[in-house]
Amino acid sequence: MAAAAASLALLAGCALTPALAGPAPSTTASAPVTTAPSPTVSPSASVSTSPSVSPSPSPTKTTPPDPLAGLSKKRRATFKACMKQTVRPGSSGTCTKLVIKELKAAGFYPWGSASYVSSTRGANAILNYQRSRGLDADGWVGKDTWIALAVKAPTVSKELPKTCYTKGVVLCVDQAHRRLLWLRNGKVIKTFKVRLGGYNEHAKTHKWRNFPTANGTWKVYDKQVNPVSETYGSGAMPYSTMFYPDMYVHYSPGFHSVGYAGSSHGCVNIGKLSDAQWIFKNTPIGAKVHIYSTKASA
């Protein structure tokens, strides 16, 4: 078992990747009108009349409700002008400035104003905002994110899923609210701020992309004070509580120094060394780790 755990520790450690669909148009045809032939009527026979066949009514066209209808005239016009634009890492211009302004107002861009979306602060601010509103976190501002920003959509619920309230120690990671809750026998003992996967540079290819933290349920299989990584070397993930070959809970000097201006490569980052040490010390091998993202209600 120890040998297996050691081999897993030599993997990249913190490295894990986004989809689209569109509605297909449907057509409705009117039913053809048919006329029954007239029967031959003898002089002594009574005449019976068949009911006439009415054509099928044409389908009623309905206009979908305007998601911006409740906004002021000025705010509605401002957002309507940008709704068809996609703002992404590297974008600049008027609509990009609007995104940064709204992210700042929502508390996800605590830095100075910017006229473009950087691959660090900007992209990760979008990702963190999307998670908090239960949207698909891809770092690109499309229609759903535009609407959420425009109407000042509320954050999703903080209610924990039932799977976190089980016997023993459970590390419950809430991506929407960037927190790790440490529970024992269904009771929350401690809560920690965390930084999750997002836009980052690949250590070997030096290409920037989204490294999401995967949702799911696992068990802690090992703990190492200073695990060695083929990708990141030694000392990159101190006090690692390991629950998945590519995802650990560990102290992050980067999170400590720059906060949410960056992201992990999929791991659950702890920004305070003493917090990482506490989790490391008190979490037993075999403890459950549950990571989840709450989706926006329809």
Side-chain angles (χ1 to χ4, degrees):
M1 184 66 182
S7 64
L8 287 170
L10 291 175
L11 296 176
C14 305
L16 286 160
T17 177
L20 38 116
S26 61
T27 38
T28 305
S30 299
V33 178
T34 57
T35 306
S38 301
T40 303
V41 182
S42 62
S44 59
S46 60
V47 178
S48 61
T49 306
S50 300
S52 59
V53 179
S54 301
S56 300
S58 299
T60 304
K61 293 183 178 180
T62 58
T63 304
D66 182 358
L68 309 182
L71 305 180
S72 67
K73 187 176 181 180
K74 181 180 179 181
R75 187 170 177 84
R76 184 174 181 276
T78 299
F79 277 89
K80 201 161 179 103
C82 292
M83 287 284 285
K84 292 184 179 180
Q85 290 196 30
T86 300
V87 173
R88 51 190 272 190
S91 294
S92 60
T94 302
C95 292
T96 296
K97 289 181 179 179
L98 178 60
V99 169
I100 299 295
K101 177 185 175 183
E102 294 300 320
L103 290 173
K104 187 179 285 291
F108 287 86
Y109 200 94
W111 313 285
S113 298
S115 58
Y116 75 101
V117 178
S118 68
S119 296
T120 51
R121 293 177 177 180
N124 286 302
I126 293 170
L127 279 164
N128 284 317
Y129 173 82
Q130 289 171 325
R131 289 183 187 126
S132 74
R133 268 57 184 179
L135 305 172
D136 290 336
D138 56 9
W140 292 29
V141 179
K143 183 179 178 181
D144 289 345
T145 306
W146 275 122
I147 293 172
L149 289 168
V151 303
K152 299 183 184 295
T155 57
V156 293
S157 171
K158 281 191 172 184
E159 183 178 356
L160 300 185
K162 291 181 179 179
T163 188
C164 292
Y165 295 105
T166 53
K167 289 183 179 180
V169 171
V170 179
L171 277 62
C172 198
V173 181
D174 176 4
Q175 294 211 56
H177 298 98
R178 299 183 292 193
R179 59 182 184 155
L180 183 156
L181 298 98
W182 196 97
L183 298 88
R184 181 188 286 121
N185 297 327
K187 181 181 179 181
V188 176
I189 305 300
K190 283 199 173 191
T191 302
F192 305 91
K193 288 183 179 181
V194 297
R195 186 175 71 172
L196 302 159
Y199 266 85
N200 213 326
E201 183 182 23
H202 192 282
K204 291 185 176 180
T205 65
H206 302 293
K207 292 183 179 180
W208 287 82
R209 69 175 180 86
N210 187 13
F211 291 83
T213 298
N215 290 319
T217 303
W218 296 273
K219 287 186 177 182
V220 174
Y221 67 85
D222 195 13
K223 298 191 294 182
Q224 293 188 27
V225 173
N226 186 19
V228 177
S229 167
E230 291 181 354
T231 304
Y232 307 106
S234 180
M237 299 172 288
Y239 292 96
S240 283
T241 300
M242 304 171 172
F243 59 93
Y244 184 85
D246 281 335
M247 295 192 300
Y248 312 152
V249 176
H250 68 83
Y251 171 66
S252 166
F255 184 27
H256 178 76
S257 61
V258 303
Y260 296 110
S263 71
S264 79
H265 289 86
C267 281
V268 180
N269 287 171
I270 303 294
K272 191 175 178 182
L273 181 58
S274 60
D275 287 345
Q277 290 171 330
W278 189 96
I279 295 170
F280 183 90
K281 178 182 177 181
N282 291 282
T283 304
I285 301 297
K288 182 162 76 172
V289 180
H290 181 68
I291 300 178
Y292 69 98
S293 297
T294 304
K295 290 299 180 182
S297 56

